[in-house]
PDB file of all heavy atoms in Angstrom:
ATOM      1  N   SER A 267       7.588   1.819 -15.046  1.00  0.00           N
ATOM      2  CA  SER A 267       6.631   1.549 -16.126  1.00  0.00           C
ATOM      3  C   SER A 267       5.256   2.155 -15.858  1.00  0.00           C
ATOM      4  O   SER A 267       4.296   1.848 -16.562  1.00  0.00           O
ATOM      5  CB  SER A 267       6.490   0.038 -16.335  1.00  0.00           C
ATOM      6  OG  SER A 267       6.266  -0.618 -15.106  1.00  0.00           O
ATOM      7  N   GLN A 268       5.154   3.025 -14.872  1.00  0.00           N
ATOM      8  CA  GLN A 268       3.844   3.580 -14.536  1.00  0.00           C
ATOM      9  C   GLN A 268       3.406   4.679 -15.502  1.00  0.00           C
ATOM     10  O   GLN A 268       2.231   5.052 -15.531  1.00  0.00           O
ATOM     11  CB  GLN A 268       3.849   4.103 -13.101  1.00  0.00           C
ATOM     12  CG  GLN A 268       4.094   3.025 -12.066  1.00  0.00           C
ATOM     13  CD  GLN A 268       3.154   1.840 -12.217  1.00  0.00           C
ATOM     14  OE1 GLN A 268       1.937   1.977 -12.086  1.00  0.00           O
ATOM     15  NE2 GLN A 268       3.708   0.663 -12.491  1.00  0.00           N
ATOM     16  N   THR A 269       4.319   5.207 -16.271  1.00  0.00           N
ATOM     17  CA  THR A 269       3.992   6.147 -17.342  1.00  0.00           C
ATOM     18  C   THR A 269       4.935   5.894 -18.509  1.00  0.00           C
ATOM     19  O   THR A 269       6.002   5.307 -18.355  1.00  0.00           O
ATOM     20  CB  THR A 269       4.159   7.615 -16.896  1.00  0.00           C
ATOM     21  OG1 THR A 269       5.506   7.821 -16.453  1.00  0.00           O
ATOM     22  CG2 THR A 269       3.198   7.966 -15.768  1.00  0.00           C
ATOM     23  N   ASN A 270       4.514   6.350 -19.689  1.00  0.00           N
ATOM     24  CA  ASN A 270       5.355   6.263 -20.883  1.00  0.00           C
ATOM     25  C   ASN A 270       5.814   4.841 -21.175  1.00  0.00           C
ATOM     26  O   ASN A 270       6.951   4.601 -21.566  1.00  0.00           O
ATOM     27  CB  ASN A 270       6.571   7.185 -20.740  1.00  0.00           C
ATOM     28  CG  ASN A 270       7.112   7.634 -22.089  1.00  0.00           C
ATOM     29  OD1 ASN A 270       6.395   7.640 -23.090  1.00  0.00           O
ATOM     30  ND2 ASN A 270       8.383   8.004 -22.128  1.00  0.00           N
ATOM     31  N   PHE A 271       4.905   3.901 -21.006  1.00  0.00           N
ATOM     32  CA  PHE A 271       5.175   2.490 -21.274  1.00  0.00           C
ATOM     33  C   PHE A 271       4.120   2.022 -22.269  1.00  0.00           C
ATOM     34  O   PHE A 271       2.922   2.293 -22.104  1.00  0.00           O
ATOM     35  CB  PHE A 271       5.091   1.687 -19.972  1.00  0.00           C
ATOM     36  CG  PHE A 271       5.602   0.281 -20.073  1.00  0.00           C
ATOM     37  CD1 PHE A 271       6.947  -0.002 -19.882  1.00  0.00           C
ATOM     38  CD2 PHE A 271       4.744  -0.775 -20.342  1.00  0.00           C
ATOM     39  CE1 PHE A 271       7.428  -1.302 -19.969  1.00  0.00           C
ATOM     40  CE2 PHE A 271       5.205  -2.078 -20.435  1.00  0.00           C
ATOM     41  CZ  PHE A 271       6.555  -2.338 -20.244  1.00  0.00           C
ATOM     42  N   TYR A 272       4.531   1.286 -23.286  1.00  0.00           N
ATOM     43  CA  TYR A 272       3.587   0.921 -24.337  1.00  0.00           C
ATOM     44  C   TYR A 272       2.516  -0.055 -23.854  1.00  0.00           C
ATOM     45  O   TYR A 272       2.810  -1.049 -23.178  1.00  0.00           O
ATOM     46  CB  TYR A 272       4.301   0.284 -25.535  1.00  0.00           C
ATOM     47  CG  TYR A 272       3.314  -0.182 -26.586  1.00  0.00           C
ATOM     48  CD1 TYR A 272       2.757   0.719 -27.476  1.00  0.00           C
ATOM     49  CD2 TYR A 272       2.899  -1.511 -26.634  1.00  0.00           C
ATOM     50  CE1 TYR A 272       1.822   0.309 -28.414  1.00  0.00           C
ATOM     51  CE2 TYR A 272       1.967  -1.931 -27.574  1.00  0.00           C
ATOM     52  CZ  TYR A 272       1.421  -1.018 -28.456  1.00  0.00           C
ATOM     53  OH  TYR A 272       0.481  -1.425 -29.365  1.00  0.00           O
ATOM     54  N   THR A 273       1.285   0.228 -24.239  1.00  0.00           N
ATOM     55  CA  THR A 273       0.175  -0.715 -24.131  1.00  0.00           C
ATOM     56  C   THR A 273      -0.668  -0.560 -25.399  1.00  0.00           C
ATOM     57  O   THR A 273      -0.538   0.437 -26.126  1.00  0.00           O
ATOM     58  CB  THR A 273      -0.728  -0.440 -22.913  1.00  0.00           C
ATOM     59  OG1 THR A 273      -1.367   0.842 -23.084  1.00  0.00           O
ATOM     60  CG2 THR A 273       0.064  -0.443 -21.609  1.00  0.00           C
ATOM     61  N   LEU A 274      -1.540  -1.506 -25.644  1.00  0.00           N
ATOM     62  CA  LEU A 274      -2.469  -1.364 -26.763  1.00  0.00           C
ATOM     63  C   LEU A 274      -3.296  -0.096 -26.609  1.00  0.00           C
ATOM     64  O   LEU A 274      -3.615   0.581 -27.592  1.00  0.00           O
ATOM     65  CB  LEU A 274      -3.388  -2.588 -26.840  1.00  0.00           C
ATOM     66  CG  LEU A 274      -2.754  -3.897 -27.313  1.00  0.00           C
ATOM     67  CD1 LEU A 274      -3.744  -5.045 -27.140  1.00  0.00           C
ATOM     68  CD2 LEU A 274      -2.309  -3.794 -28.770  1.00  0.00           C
ATOM     69  N   ALA A 275      -3.639   0.244 -25.368  1.00  0.00           N
ATOM     70  CA  ALA A 275      -4.430   1.449 -25.126  1.00  0.00           C
ATOM     71  C   ALA A 275      -3.655   2.695 -25.522  1.00  0.00           C
ATOM     72  O   ALA A 275      -4.214   3.638 -26.092  1.00  0.00           O
ATOM     73  CB  ALA A 275      -4.837   1.516 -23.655  1.00  0.00           C
ATOM     74  N   ALA A 276      -2.354   2.725 -25.200  1.00  0.00           N
ATOM     75  CA  ALA A 276      -1.539   3.884 -25.568  1.00  0.00           C
ATOM     76  C   ALA A 276      -1.461   4.033 -27.083  1.00  0.00           C
ATOM     77  O   ALA A 276      -1.606   5.136 -27.630  1.00  0.00           O
ATOM     78  CB  ALA A 276      -0.145   3.749 -24.962  1.00  0.00           C
ATOM     79  N   GLY A 277      -1.225   2.913 -27.773  1.00  0.00           N
ATOM     80  CA  GLY A 277      -1.117   2.968 -29.229  1.00  0.00           C
ATOM     81  C   GLY A 277      -2.430   3.318 -29.894  1.00  0.00           C
ATOM     82  O   GLY A 277      -2.492   4.180 -30.783  1.00  0.00           O
ATOM     83  N   LEU A 278      -3.512   2.669 -29.477  1.00  0.00           N
ATOM     84  CA  LEU A 278      -4.812   2.944 -30.082  1.00  0.00           C
ATOM     85  C   LEU A 278      -5.317   4.328 -29.709  1.00  0.00           C
ATOM     86  O   LEU A 278      -6.000   4.985 -30.494  1.00  0.00           O
ATOM     87  CB  LEU A 278      -5.820   1.871 -29.645  1.00  0.00           C
ATOM     88  CG  LEU A 278      -5.551   0.461 -30.192  1.00  0.00           C
ATOM     89  CD1 LEU A 278      -6.491  -0.551 -29.565  1.00  0.00           C
ATOM     90  CD2 LEU A 278      -5.670   0.437 -31.723  1.00  0.00           C
ATOM     91  N   GLY A 279      -4.976   4.777 -28.502  1.00  0.00           N
ATOM     92  CA  GLY A 279      -5.378   6.120 -28.098  1.00  0.00           C
ATOM     93  C   GLY A 279      -4.807   7.183 -29.010  1.00  0.00           C
ATOM     94  O   GLY A 279      -5.467   8.188 -29.306  1.00  0.00           O
ATOM     95  N   GLN A 280      -3.569   6.987 -29.487  1.00  0.00           N
ATOM     96  CA  GLN A 280      -2.961   7.939 -30.414  1.00  0.00           C
ATOM     97  C   GLN A 280      -3.672   7.949 -31.764  1.00  0.00           C
ATOM     98  O   GLN A 280      -3.529   8.898 -32.533  1.00  0.00           O
ATOM     99  CB  GLN A 280      -1.478   7.619 -30.615  1.00  0.00           C
ATOM    100  CG  GLN A 280      -0.595   7.995 -29.444  1.00  0.00           C
ATOM    101  CD  GLN A 280       0.889   7.922 -29.786  1.00  0.00           C
ATOM    102  OE1 GLN A 280       1.268   7.653 -30.924  1.00  0.00           O
ATOM    103  NE2 GLN A 280       1.732   8.159 -28.799  1.00  0.00           N
ATOM    104  N   GLN A 281      -4.441   6.900 -32.037  1.00  0.00           N
ATOM    105  CA  GLN A 281      -5.159   6.820 -33.305  1.00  0.00           C
ATOM    106  C   GLN A 281      -6.636   7.163 -33.144  1.00  0.00           C
ATOM    107  O   GLN A 281      -7.460   6.838 -34.006  1.00  0.00           O
ATOM    108  CB  GLN A 281      -4.991   5.432 -33.912  1.00  0.00           C
ATOM    109  CG  GLN A 281      -3.528   5.069 -34.156  1.00  0.00           C
ATOM    110  CD  GLN A 281      -3.372   4.009 -35.232  1.00  0.00           C
ATOM    111  OE1 GLN A 281      -4.128   3.956 -36.195  1.00  0.00           O
ATOM    112  NE2 GLN A 281      -2.383   3.152 -35.074  1.00  0.00           N
ATOM    113  N   GLY A 282      -6.971   7.801 -32.035  1.00  0.00           N
ATOM    114  CA  GLY A 282      -8.327   8.297 -31.858  1.00  0.00           C
ATOM    115  C   GLY A 282      -9.290   7.352 -31.182  1.00  0.00           C
ATOM    116  O   GLY A 282     -10.487   7.646 -31.103  1.00  0.00           O
ATOM    117  N   TYR A 283      -8.814   6.243 -30.655  1.00  0.00           N
ATOM    118  CA  TYR A 283      -9.682   5.301 -29.958  1.00  0.00           C
ATOM    119  C   TYR A 283      -9.985   5.794 -28.538  1.00  0.00           C
ATOM    120  O   TYR A 283      -9.126   6.387 -27.876  1.00  0.00           O
ATOM    121  CB  TYR A 283      -9.019   3.933 -29.845  1.00  0.00           C
ATOM    122  CG  TYR A 283      -9.155   3.047 -31.066  1.00  0.00           C
ATOM    123  CD1 TYR A 283      -8.525   3.368 -32.263  1.00  0.00           C
ATOM    124  CD2 TYR A 283      -9.909   1.880 -31.018  1.00  0.00           C
ATOM    125  CE1 TYR A 283      -8.629   2.564 -33.379  1.00  0.00           C
ATOM    126  CE2 TYR A 283     -10.024   1.051 -32.125  1.00  0.00           C
ATOM    127  CZ  TYR A 283      -9.382   1.396 -33.311  1.00  0.00           C
ATOM    128  OH  TYR A 283      -9.495   0.582 -34.410  1.00  0.00           O
ATOM    129  N   HIS A 284     -11.209   5.536 -28.084  1.00  0.00           N
ATOM    130  CA  HIS A 284     -11.497   5.679 -26.655  1.00  0.00           C
ATOM    131  C   HIS A 284     -11.096   4.367 -25.995  1.00  0.00           C
ATOM    132  O   HIS A 284     -11.424   3.281 -26.484  1.00  0.00           O
ATOM    133  CB  HIS A 284     -12.977   5.947 -26.399  1.00  0.00           C
ATOM    134  CG  HIS A 284     -13.314   5.942 -24.937  1.00  0.00           C
ATOM    135  ND1 HIS A 284     -13.164   7.052 -24.138  1.00  0.00           N
ATOM    136  CD2 HIS A 284     -13.746   4.950 -24.122  1.00  0.00           C
ATOM    137  CE1 HIS A 284     -13.495   6.747 -22.899  1.00  0.00           C
ATOM    138  NE2 HIS A 284     -13.858   5.481 -22.863  1.00  0.00           N
ATOM    139  N   THR A 285     -10.405   4.453 -24.869  1.00  0.00           N
ATOM    140  CA  THR A 285      -9.883   3.250 -24.215  1.00  0.00           C
ATOM    141  C   THR A 285     -10.335   3.214 -22.767  1.00  0.00           C
ATOM    142  O   THR A 285     -10.289   4.237 -22.070  1.00  0.00           O
ATOM    143  CB  THR A 285      -8.349   3.244 -24.269  1.00  0.00           C
ATOM    144  OG1 THR A 285      -7.843   4.424 -23.628  1.00  0.00           O
ATOM    145  CG2 THR A 285      -7.854   3.236 -25.708  1.00  0.00           C
ATOM    146  N   GLU A 286     -10.755   2.033 -22.309  1.00  0.00           N
ATOM    147  CA  GLU A 286     -11.156   1.935 -20.910  1.00  0.00           C
ATOM    148  C   GLU A 286     -10.988   0.519 -20.362  1.00  0.00           C
ATOM    149  O   GLU A 286     -10.906  -0.459 -21.114  1.00  0.00           O
ATOM    150  CB  GLU A 286     -12.583   2.425 -20.708  1.00  0.00           C
ATOM    151  CG  GLU A 286     -13.678   1.604 -21.333  1.00  0.00           C
ATOM    152  CD  GLU A 286     -15.057   2.206 -21.043  1.00  0.00           C
ATOM    153  OE1 GLU A 286     -15.210   3.441 -21.188  1.00  0.00           O
ATOM    154  OE2 GLU A 286     -15.971   1.459 -20.663  1.00  0.00           O
ATOM    155  N   PHE A 287     -10.957   0.461 -19.043  1.00  0.00           N
ATOM    156  CA  PHE A 287     -10.778  -0.795 -18.304  1.00  0.00           C
ATOM    157  C   PHE A 287     -11.989  -0.985 -17.404  1.00  0.00           C
ATOM    158  O   PHE A 287     -12.370  -0.072 -16.665  1.00  0.00           O
ATOM    159  CB  PHE A 287      -9.501  -0.710 -17.470  1.00  0.00           C
ATOM    160  CG  PHE A 287      -9.302  -1.850 -16.499  1.00  0.00           C
ATOM    161  CD1 PHE A 287      -9.340  -3.165 -16.930  1.00  0.00           C
ATOM    162  CD2 PHE A 287      -9.062  -1.603 -15.153  1.00  0.00           C
ATOM    163  CE1 PHE A 287      -9.154  -4.219 -16.037  1.00  0.00           C
ATOM    164  CE2 PHE A 287      -8.868  -2.637 -14.255  1.00  0.00           C
ATOM    165  CZ  PHE A 287      -8.913  -3.949 -14.695  1.00  0.00           C
ATOM    166  N   VAL A 288     -12.599  -2.162 -17.475  1.00  0.00           N
ATOM    167  CA  VAL A 288     -13.785  -2.457 -16.682  1.00  0.00           C
ATOM    168  C   VAL A 288     -13.496  -3.676 -15.807  1.00  0.00           C
ATOM    169  O   VAL A 288     -13.114  -4.738 -16.317  1.00  0.00           O
ATOM    170  CB  VAL A 288     -15.020  -2.736 -17.576  1.00  0.00           C
ATOM    171  CG1 VAL A 288     -16.285  -2.853 -16.724  1.00  0.00           C
ATOM    172  CG2 VAL A 288     -15.191  -1.633 -18.619  1.00  0.00           C
ATOM    173  N   TYR A 289     -13.683  -3.514 -14.499  1.00  0.00           N
ATOM    174  CA  TYR A 289     -13.323  -4.566 -13.535  1.00  0.00           C
ATOM    175  C   TYR A 289     -14.354  -4.591 -12.417  1.00  0.00           C
ATOM    176  O   TYR A 289     -14.778  -3.543 -11.921  1.00  0.00           O
ATOM    177  CB  TYR A 289     -11.925  -4.262 -12.982  1.00  0.00           C
ATOM    178  CG  TYR A 289     -11.392  -5.249 -11.961  1.00  0.00           C
ATOM    179  CD1 TYR A 289     -11.383  -6.615 -12.214  1.00  0.00           C
ATOM    180  CD2 TYR A 289     -10.870  -4.794 -10.755  1.00  0.00           C
ATOM    181  CE1 TYR A 289     -10.874  -7.510 -11.287  1.00  0.00           C
ATOM    182  CE2 TYR A 289     -10.351  -5.679  -9.824  1.00  0.00           C
ATOM    183  CZ  TYR A 289     -10.358  -7.041 -10.086  1.00  0.00           C
ATOM    184  OH  TYR A 289      -9.855  -7.925  -9.161  1.00  0.00           O
ATOM    185  N   GLY A 290     -14.743  -5.789 -12.007  1.00  0.00           N
ATOM    186  CA  GLY A 290     -15.762  -5.913 -10.972  1.00  0.00           C
ATOM    187  C   GLY A 290     -15.253  -5.704  -9.568  1.00  0.00           C
ATOM    188  O   GLY A 290     -16.045  -5.539  -8.635  1.00  0.00           O
ATOM    189  N   GLY A 291     -13.935  -5.701  -9.391  1.00  0.00           N
ATOM    190  CA  GLY A 291     -13.361  -5.489  -8.067  1.00  0.00           C
ATOM    191  C   GLY A 291     -12.873  -4.066  -7.892  1.00  0.00           C
ATOM    192  O   GLY A 291     -13.437  -3.114  -8.444  1.00  0.00           O
ATOM    193  N   GLU A 292     -11.828  -3.916  -7.110  1.00  0.00           N
ATOM    194  CA  GLU A 292     -11.235  -2.603  -6.863  1.00  0.00           C
ATOM    195  C   GLU A 292     -10.040  -2.431  -7.787  1.00  0.00           C
ATOM    196  O   GLU A 292      -9.075  -3.200  -7.723  1.00  0.00           O
ATOM    197  CB  GLU A 292     -10.818  -2.493  -5.397  1.00  0.00           C
ATOM    198  CG  GLU A 292     -11.995  -2.654  -4.437  1.00  0.00           C
ATOM    199  CD  GLU A 292     -11.549  -2.995  -3.032  1.00  0.00           C
ATOM    200  OE1 GLU A 292     -10.350  -2.865  -2.731  1.00  0.00           O
ATOM    201  OE2 GLU A 292     -12.403  -3.408  -2.229  1.00  0.00           O
ATOM    202  N   ALA A 293     -10.101  -1.428  -8.641  1.00  0.00           N
ATOM    203  CA  ALA A 293      -9.118  -1.294  -9.719  1.00  0.00           C
ATOM    204  C   ALA A 293      -7.705  -1.046  -9.210  1.00  0.00           C
ATOM    205  O   ALA A 293      -6.746  -1.250  -9.950  1.00  0.00           O
ATOM    206  CB  ALA A 293      -9.531  -0.187 -10.678  1.00  0.00           C
ATOM    207  N   HIS A 294      -7.566  -0.622  -7.948  1.00  0.00           N
ATOM    208  CA  HIS A 294      -6.207  -0.392  -7.459  1.00  0.00           C
ATOM    209  C   HIS A 294      -5.508  -1.692  -7.071  1.00  0.00           C
ATOM    210  O   HIS A 294      -4.305  -1.687  -6.796  1.00  0.00           O
ATOM    211  CB  HIS A 294      -6.217   0.565  -6.258  1.00  0.00           C
ATOM    212  CG  HIS A 294      -6.832  -0.007  -5.023  1.00  0.00           C
ATOM    213  ND1 HIS A 294      -8.194  -0.013  -4.804  1.00  0.00           N
ATOM    214  CD2 HIS A 294      -6.279  -0.602  -3.934  1.00  0.00           C
ATOM    215  CE1 HIS A 294      -8.440  -0.578  -3.631  1.00  0.00           C
ATOM    216  NE2 HIS A 294      -7.306  -0.953  -3.094  1.00  0.00           N
ATOM    217  N   PHE A 295      -6.237  -2.808  -7.066  1.00  0.00           N
ATOM    218  CA  PHE A 295      -5.612  -4.091  -6.755  1.00  0.00           C
ATOM    219  C   PHE A 295      -4.485  -4.374  -7.740  1.00  0.00           C
ATOM    220  O   PHE A 295      -4.603  -4.167  -8.942  1.00  0.00           O
ATOM    221  CB  PHE A 295      -6.654  -5.210  -6.807  1.00  0.00           C
ATOM    222  CG  PHE A 295      -6.071  -6.586  -6.653  1.00  0.00           C
ATOM    223  CD1 PHE A 295      -5.493  -6.967  -5.467  1.00  0.00           C
ATOM    224  CD2 PHE A 295      -6.094  -7.485  -7.703  1.00  0.00           C
ATOM    225  CE1 PHE A 295      -4.937  -8.227  -5.312  1.00  0.00           C
ATOM    226  CE2 PHE A 295      -5.552  -8.751  -7.568  1.00  0.00           C
ATOM    227  CZ  PHE A 295      -4.968  -9.121  -6.369  1.00  0.00           C
ATOM    228  N   ASP A 296      -3.377  -4.877  -7.212  1.00  0.00           N
ATOM    229  CA  ASP A 296      -2.204  -5.208  -8.029  1.00  0.00           C
ATOM    230  C   ASP A 296      -1.689  -3.999  -8.819  1.00  0.00           C
ATOM    231  O   ASP A 296      -1.048  -4.156  -9.858  1.00  0.00           O
ATOM    232  CB  ASP A 296      -2.506  -6.361  -8.993  1.00  0.00           C
ATOM    233  CG  ASP A 296      -2.023  -7.701  -8.444  1.00  0.00           C
ATOM    234  OD1 ASP A 296      -1.304  -7.707  -7.432  1.00  0.00           O
ATOM    235  OD2 ASP A 296      -2.362  -8.745  -9.033  1.00  0.00           O
ATOM    236  N   ASN A 297      -2.010  -2.786  -8.347  1.00  0.00           N
ATOM    237  CA  ASN A 297      -1.519  -1.552  -8.964  1.00  0.00           C
ATOM    238  C   ASN A 297      -2.078  -1.320 -10.361  1.00  0.00           C
ATOM    239  O   ASN A 297      -1.539  -0.524 -11.140  1.00  0.00           O
ATOM    240  CB  ASN A 297       0.011  -1.550  -9.027  1.00  0.00           C
ATOM    241  CG  ASN A 297       0.582  -0.147  -9.059  1.00  0.00           C
ATOM    242  OD1 ASN A 297       0.288   0.663  -8.188  1.00  0.00           O
ATOM    243  ND2 ASN A 297       1.382   0.158 -10.053  1.00  0.00           N
ATOM    244  N   MET A 298      -3.195  -1.995 -10.707  1.00  0.00           N
ATOM    245  CA  MET A 298      -3.717  -1.890 -12.061  1.00  0.00           C
ATOM    246  C   MET A 298      -4.135  -0.462 -12.402  1.00  0.00           C
ATOM    247  O   MET A 298      -3.849   0.031 -13.507  1.00  0.00           O
ATOM    248  CB  MET A 298      -4.886  -2.851 -12.252  1.00  0.00           C
ATOM    249  CG  MET A 298      -4.506  -4.317 -12.212  1.00  0.00           C
ATOM    250  SD  MET A 298      -5.875  -5.438 -12.624  1.00  0.00           S
ATOM    251  CE  MET A 298      -7.004  -5.144 -11.241  1.00  0.00           C
ATOM    252  N   ARG A 299      -4.833   0.206 -11.478  1.00  0.00           N
ATOM    253  CA  ARG A 299      -5.322   1.552 -11.781  1.00  0.00           C
ATOM    254  C   ARG A 299      -4.170   2.478 -12.163  1.00  0.00           C
ATOM    255  O   ARG A 299      -4.245   3.221 -13.136  1.00  0.00           O
ATOM    256  CB  ARG A 299      -6.091   2.123 -10.593  1.00  0.00           C
ATOM    257  CG  ARG A 299      -6.587   3.544 -10.820  1.00  0.00           C
ATOM    258  CD  ARG A 299      -7.261   4.103  -9.587  1.00  0.00           C
ATOM    259  NE  ARG A 299      -8.555   3.516  -9.346  1.00  0.00           N
ATOM    260  CZ  ARG A 299      -9.682   3.930  -9.901  1.00  0.00           C
ATOM    261  NH1 ARG A 299      -9.661   4.946 -10.760  1.00  0.00           N
ATOM    262  NH2 ARG A 299     -10.827   3.354  -9.626  1.00  0.00           N
ATOM    263  N   SER A 300      -3.110   2.446 -11.383  1.00  0.00           N
ATOM    264  CA  SER A 300      -1.968   3.321 -11.660  1.00  0.00           C
ATOM    265  C   SER A 300      -1.340   2.997 -13.012  1.00  0.00           C
ATOM    266  O   SER A 300      -1.070   3.894 -13.819  1.00  0.00           O
ATOM    267  CB  SER A 300      -0.931   3.185 -10.542  1.00  0.00           C
ATOM    268  OG  SER A 300       0.198   3.972 -10.810  1.00  0.00           O
ATOM    269  N   PHE A 301      -1.102   1.722 -13.273  1.00  0.00           N
ATOM    270  CA  PHE A 301      -0.472   1.320 -14.532  1.00  0.00           C
ATOM    271  C   PHE A 301      -1.350   1.682 -15.719  1.00  0.00           C
ATOM    272  O   PHE A 301      -0.864   2.216 -16.728  1.00  0.00           O
ATOM    273  CB  PHE A 301      -0.204  -0.182 -14.516  1.00  0.00           C
ATOM    274  CG  PHE A 301       0.419  -0.712 -15.775  1.00  0.00           C
ATOM    275  CD1 PHE A 301       1.771  -0.529 -16.034  1.00  0.00           C
ATOM    276  CD2 PHE A 301      -0.342  -1.391 -16.722  1.00  0.00           C
ATOM    277  CE1 PHE A 301       2.360  -1.014 -17.201  1.00  0.00           C
ATOM    278  CE2 PHE A 301       0.227  -1.879 -17.887  1.00  0.00           C
ATOM    279  CZ  PHE A 301       1.583  -1.685 -18.125  1.00  0.00           C
ATOM    280  N   PHE A 302      -2.642   1.419 -15.620  1.00  0.00           N
ATOM    281  CA  PHE A 302      -3.534   1.670 -16.748  1.00  0.00           C
ATOM    282  C   PHE A 302      -3.731   3.161 -17.005  1.00  0.00           C
ATOM    283  O   PHE A 302      -3.669   3.621 -18.148  1.00  0.00           O
ATOM    284  CB  PHE A 302      -4.882   0.996 -16.515  1.00  0.00           C
ATOM    285  CG  PHE A 302      -4.849  -0.504 -16.673  1.00  0.00           C
ATOM    286  CD1 PHE A 302      -5.676  -1.319 -15.912  1.00  0.00           C
ATOM    287  CD2 PHE A 302      -3.997  -1.112 -17.571  1.00  0.00           C
ATOM    288  CE1 PHE A 302      -5.648  -2.693 -16.048  1.00  0.00           C
ATOM    289  CE2 PHE A 302      -3.957  -2.489 -17.723  1.00  0.00           C
ATOM    290  CZ  PHE A 302      -4.789  -3.284 -16.956  1.00  0.00           C
TER     291      PHE A 302
END
């Protein structure tokens, strides 16, 4: 599921949205950076 897996970001990105993730810790925790 690390690529080609549906998220709101994937769907909205196809419709011209800018998408981002903001986190106060280290984004690689729990593999979030890779998945996102």
